[in-house]
Amino acid sequence: MLASGSADPALTGTARRAYTPGGSLEVYGLCREPVLSATGYGGVVTHLMAADGARHSVSDVRPGGLARARGAGSASVALGGAALDHAGLARGGLRIVGATVSPEGRLGAGRRVKATPLRGTPWTEGPAAPLFARPAAEAVAELLAGAAHPAPAADAAEPPLLGCDVMVVGASGEHLLVREMRPHAPLLRLLPAHPHPELAHTANLRRIAAYPGLLVRVLGRPDLDRAATLRPLAVGPVPGAPYTLRLPEEWLGRADLGYDRLQGSHFPPPTAAPSGPAVPAGEPVAAGPDPLADSPLWRVRRLLETGVAGGRRAVAEAARGTEPLAVYGPLRRAGLTAAADLAAALAAEADRRPRDAFGRLADPSPEGYAWAWLAAATHLAAAERSLIAASWTATTPPDATTPAVR
């Protein structure tokens, strides 16, 4: 579309975020998330939800790095003169008059905006309750479908938050393995949302991993580039469960993993653990095969990345001198015949050298190579999305010959 000149200008993006009038809003806090960028910026984003289910956020990100990210979690909210800090907003709410809202839900702090604090609601009530009402696989499938067909003006923001109730299985390397509390649920991998050791995410997940069988309500962001992986931002007790978290009343039933540090008093005593076989605390657990990492699709990705780094001649050299069966045989044996055909077509087009009327080598047109590269890249993205979606639904890792992948 860009090459043809008929594309909507919105496809190229905008330099500034546009805010539009949002009228009067009532929003309630979900959790806080520390922000730490490689360019030296730090701060906090407080995630909110309106009564109609719309997602909103209030951010406070400025130069300052780690110190700014740690301190901003309790800094005052610069929105409409509300006498509230981010810690209070994450467990409270706001009534906003004259709100301004960006397309991705960020609330602006204009001069005409007025905000009044509201009493917060627990996750079990109010607008947050629907987040935990459906299986996580359904929410992820919806997100992956949206990633496959984005709107022209869609913001390149991270995936929205989803909630689920899980049972702790144990630690496996850098992952905390959990199983969603529904029939035939697969193992989910929890990774720290921010792995910096000075933030509390990693330490909190390690402490949770020491309690196999613990039931936890998790609010986090799915990692759409990994199989069945969730990056939790906050946790809370599962309603009605005897072996679950025991958080202070003032925390309103949730702990922000980036700011609140879980202590021993926040966990049930070992005597309350459910009977039956369990993994001893601290003992590693086998995560099982990763359907995405173990897939031979990495061969296609390496070929595409070679083209980005070195151009068409690098692709031609990478495929030259090797038997096609050795290169693309694993893809065909796994049932990924379309991926094998597209990769072979890309290599052939990269190595094509036409001759002129006198038999001399001429420079090939770049259009054929561009289309071959784009076709392989588009198919690879769709195949990886299919594997990731299947990893959230299957009790055991999906086989590479899944028809949806093929």
Side-chain angles (χ1 to χ4, degrees), residues 34-44 60-73 196 198-199 259:
V35 176
L36 183 61
S37 74
T39 56
Y41 282 78
V44 62
D60 182 4
V61 181
R62 303 175 188 175
L66 177 62
R68 182 78 175 79
R70 296 176 63 181
H196 196 288
E198 294 298 323
L199 297 176
Y259 291 104

Side-chain angles (χ1 to χ4, degrees), residues 312 349 351-357 359-365:
R312 66 184 300 159
E349 179 61 32
D351 201 28
R352 185 175 64 84
R353 296 296 302 274
R355 295 180 180 271
D356 61 15
R360 296 172 298 190
L361 289 174
D363 291 332
S365 169

